[in-house]
Amino acid sequence: MKYDVLVIGGGLAGLTAALRLAQAGRRVAVFSAGMSALHFSSGSIDLWGRNPDGRVEYEPFNALAGLPGLRPDHPYNRCGLETIRAALSFFRDECAREGLKLWANGSRNHFHVTALGTLKPTYFSPDTVYNDRIHQAFEQGPRVAILTFEGYRDFHPELAAASLRRHPLFQKSPVTTGRIRLPLKDETGRPVHELRSIDVGRLFDRDQAVEETAAAIRRAAPEADMVGLPAFIGLAGYARVLPRLMELTGKIIYEVPTLPPSILGLRMDQALKNRLAGQGGLLIPGDRVVGGEIRNGRLASVETQMYGPVRLAADHFILATGSFFSGGLVSRPDRMVEPVFGLEIRSEPLRTHWVGRRFFDPGSHPFLSYGVETDERLRPRMPDGRPLDNLYAAGAVLAGYDPIAEASGGGVAVATGYRAALLVLEEDGDRP
Amino acid sequence: MIELENISFDHCLKCTVCTVYCPVAKATPLFPGPKQSGPDAERLRIKNPELVDDSLKYCSNCKRCETACPSDVRIADIIQAAKWTYWRRRTRPRDFLLAHTDLMGFWGTALAGLVNRAAGAGVVRYLLDIFVKIPKERPFPKYSTSTFKRWFRDHGPDPSVHPDQAVYFHGCYVNYQNPGLGRDVVDVLAALGVGVRITNEKCCGVPLIANGYLDRARKHARHNIEGLARAADQAGGPIVTASSTCAYALMYEYPGILRQDNRAIADRIQYLTRFLAPRLADRPDVLKTPVPLKVAYHAPCHLARMGGVVDTVEVLRRIPGLDPRLLHSECCGISGTYGFKKELYPIAQDVGADLKEKILAVKPDLVVTDCETCAWQIEFLTGLRVVHPVTLLAWSVRGGASSPV
Ligand SMILES: Cc1cc2nc3c(=O)[nH]c(=O)nc-3n(C[C@H](O)[C@H](O)[C@H](O)COP(=O)(O)OP(=O)(O)OC[C@H]3O[C@@H](n4cnc5c(N)ncnc54)[C@H](O)[C@@H]3O)c2cc1C
Ligand code: SF4
Ligand code: SF4
């Protein structure tokens, strides 16, 4: 079996790389062990939200322009500003082709409410979370109501309201909270508190309960101009349901991310995977790459859990296996390891240094910036200190950045995934 | 006592990703989904086995949840075991009929004319629907007038003329319903210089497991492991099967839910396209005749779980003239005997609705899939002809009149 490019890991970074390569006509296969961080993410793509001193950044591209001086090893510096811009617009177009519209505040950041109710600076948000209409409405000081449904455990409107009230954007806006009763036909006898966003979403995917939900919203927030709802109105159905709810209530309605599984993240996952399938890319879920065979300074093939000794060969490989959370990095009692190839990892030798003093340490956790080190061309070093010619790394597996403190996770994944694809094309002699 | 020592529920992170990908939970609110019915409920069931409820029957054992789980929890196995270890089951004649494919097959082929006509007849279907709870809408796969085993005994080519040999596990479907597919396998292997032997196999056991006949399934497993191991020793070659479900059973259900030691065959079983892919790469010349068709490829759930999709895609890509379109893999809904049960039939059709749409959007000449029950479901859903990948290979290998083009 031989591919032009074999991508290891089907998260944001791996899928972005695969899509760019498929667009260039490459035969690409993506192997992915489990489901990615997108299933747990807000569906917003953070680019650069906070500076090292903790100050919120409103102009991410200004900060990125100064990054080479500040953090020479940052993965963004392996991409360059132009490539970052190209990557973001490519990503947005690919999502749009599958009907997922991403909104950006020009080239500035905007804030979205997280599942925990905090406000976070981000770059792209699904247009059901933020859009021009909402942006403009804020200038009028709208009355905002944050609602949830009775018994739902994965979202707490009071938390969200409390942090919104502290935010300058909401100075002119009274924020209230409320609960609606979901018009569930009790076929199941399941207690409502067991329902997760995905269970509720299915009602809306079947176009059920829209009228009743609209009426419940009107009752729970008669005064509100704008209503925030936890993102549970369906995986695919939202595009029909949300406009209908707005029409029936006469209110602006926007979605707020919930605790996992996050419907907003899932929609992005599905959009990217559908697009890849449409472009002829092959996605193999549920299989883990466990090692590879190196010949003459190149990775010749890899071995997976299911294929065992059958080797999967390719001209190029992209390692996009994510961080600790996805198993791209693993912590052993005495050290960190990259489990597939045993790549060099940047980390402190002592485990006691790994965790910040407090869990929500404003300086975040040092371990978050650990990962695989690469050269300028995103090629990781092998245990002997040398890179292989045809193995690139992208996304959260990389060292040198802190996705939480910087609010940069999604941007780094998209930019480095895209950059890795360009490097592959370049090596093939394609001028992309 | 916990019969199945599957403590993988302990690894559950409570992330609910499995439920996102469960096609049944998507289709009906009556099923709480893999997380709740699997790892969550297992915790309680271990303390009190009485805590099993009817909703477990909705799980079709498609294993999509396991493919999605980031933490390697064997969710579907937990549910299957709970279903049959704890559930005081009320066996129905229908489940007996659906489970015993070899018994049904024996009489089905012996009386093919009668059975096929009866199974197509309105009155009979109406009676089956009412008394046996097999939905009258669902067409019954037709029985062949003769079995593959009989054809092979009388007309099977001598394997010893070939340099290599393989043991072929044909399965009930090939034996009783589609011996032609078995002949396709024999021809494609012969073109590659591989002679075929068969054994006195019994049903792999999947329909028995699905309908609660675990003891009988274990007997079949022991019989098959022994027979296949012996034949593979004699042949000095691998064991191949062209049914993704039989392959999954031989490799994973035997040591898993059935707890049978399959080490004597485990390393030697290969799903057919895995065996073929590297050989066709070496011998592209055997694929002589172009097959100029646009085909939509549906990857069956169990093949996706085993990781065989890559091989089938590779094999399809080698067929000259073929334009294969991969569908984003999802469950067709039938899951073996599941879709033949009246109370589950609407769910099966609901699950399949997405796939139907995607197939029709491709406007293919044919649909290709590795699984016989998927094939029935897709033919029923779309009205299109569905063939096995090996049949396409056989058309190309044989050329001439056997090809539809
Ligand atoms: C819980 C959580 C929430 C986040 N939320 C946001 C957010 O809202 N916005 C934002 O911008 N950023 C967010 N981030 C940051 C996040 O890291 C990035 O946004 C991005 O999703 C990382 O993508 P990735 O492709 O690099 O890795 P991942 O998404 O982690 O994907 C890696 C994939 O590789 C697979 N894999 C691992 N090892 C192997 C192997 N050996 N063989 C085959 N496959 C393998 C994994 O199963 C996984 O599917 C979040 C991160 C986490 C952990
Ligand atoms: S996907 Fe796996 S880890 Fe997540 S809830 Fe389901 S069983 Fe648990
Ligand atoms: S095996 Fe299939 S039907 Fe059963 S819980 Fe898992 S995904 Fe759902």
Side-chain angles (χ1 to χ4, degrees), chain A residues 384-426:
Chain A
D384 66 4
R386 308 241 315 266
L388 298 175
D389 287 341
N390 63 341
L391 174 66
Y392 305 86
V397 74
L398 293 171
Y401 77 112
D402 183 333
I404 307 288
E406 300 165 2
S408 66
V412 167
V414 169
T416 54
Y418 187 84
R419 173 73 178 146
L422 294 190
L423 287 165
V424 163
L425 297 177
E426 220 175 275

Side-chain angles (χ1 to χ4, degrees), chain A residues 288-345:
Chain A
R288 182 179 298 277
V289 174
V290 293
E293 186 198 1
I294 294 161
R295 251 186 273 133
N296 307 327
R298 292 179 77 83
L299 184 59
S301 63
V302 292
E303 183 176 327
T304 76
Q305 227 163 35
M306 308 274 206
Y307 286 88
V310 178
R311 300 273 179 171
L312 300 158
D315 291 332
H316 306 273
F317 295 84
I318 296 175
L319 182 75
T321 47
S323 184
F324 299 97
F325 184 80
S326 298
L329 303 171
V330 178
S331 90
R332 298 268 154 78
D334 55 334
R335 67 204 166 95
M336 313 269 181
V337 292
E338 185 289 305
V340 182
F341 302 107
L343 300 171
E344 282 285 283
I345 295 265

Side-chain angles (χ1 to χ4, degrees), chain B residues 240-360:
Chain B
V240 296
T241 172
S243 159
S244 48
T245 297
C246 297
Y248 189 87
L250 295 169
M251 290 195 262
Y252 300 104
E253 304 281 35
Y254 283 9
I257 193 164
L258 295 181
R259 299 223 92 15
Q260 298 300 308
D261 182 351
N262 74 341
R263 277 173 301 180
I265 58 170
D267 290 343
R268 296 197 262 183
I269 309 165
Q270 284 183 328
Y271 177 66
L272 188 65
T273 55
R274 164 127 346 148
F275 179 77
L276 293 177
R279 283 163 185 82
L280 288 171
D282 291 343
R283 292 282 317 278
D285 57 293
V286 303
L287 298 172
K288 300 190 282 255
T289 312
V291 184
L293 293 174
K294 175 157 85 173
V295 300
Y297 172 60
H298 164 70
C301 296
H302 286 178
L303 192 67
R305 176 81 179 104
M306 284 191 298
V309 177
V310 163
D311 303 297
T312 297
V313 170
E314 184 67 16
V315 162
L316 291 177
R317 221 175 53 85
R318 299 227 166 253
I319 300 175
L322 194 73
D323 175 12
R325 305 290 173 93
L326 311 186
L327 303 166
H328 184 129
S329 162
E330 56 199 312
C331 184
C332 73
I334 192 164
S335 290
T337 56
Y338 187 90
F340 283 94
K341 301 181 178 177
K342 190 176 166 74
E343 70 280 15
L344 302 176
Y345 169 80
I347 299 176
Q349 295 318 92
D350 241 31
V351 170
D354 279 354
L355 180 65
K356 169 182 171 179
E357 228 172 82
K358 295 217 168 107
I359 292 176
L360 293 179

Side-chain angles (χ1 to χ4, degrees), chain A residues 27 39 188 194 306-307, chain B residues 21 29 36 274 305 307 317:
Chain A
R27 215 164 93 76
H39 292 63
T188 59
E194 280 186 3
M306 308 274 206
Y307 286 88
Chain B
Y21 290 92
Q36 280 193 44
R274 164 127 346 148
R305 176 81 179 104
R317 221 175 53 85

Side-chain angles (χ1 to χ4, degrees), chain A residues 40, chain B residues 9 11-19 34-35 39-40 65 68-73 75:
Chain A
F40 307 88
Chain B
F9 69 85
H11 302 291
C12 174
L13 313 165
K14 307 292 165 211
C15 67
T16 322
V17 162
C18 48
T19 299
K35 172 174 170 287
D40 284 5
C65 49
C69 172
S71 194
D72 289 335
V73 180
I75 312 158

Side-chain angles (χ1 to χ4, degrees), chain B residues 162-195:
Chain B
H162 293 286
D164 295 317
Q165 291 182 22
V167 179
Y168 171 40
F169 186 92
H170 50 72
C172 299
Y173 167 69
V174 161
N175 199 31
Y176 300 114
Q177 279 143 340
N178 192 357
L181 173 57
R183 293 200 287 273
D184 292 341
V185 171
V186 171
D187 286 356
V188 170
L189 287 171
L192 290 163
V194 181

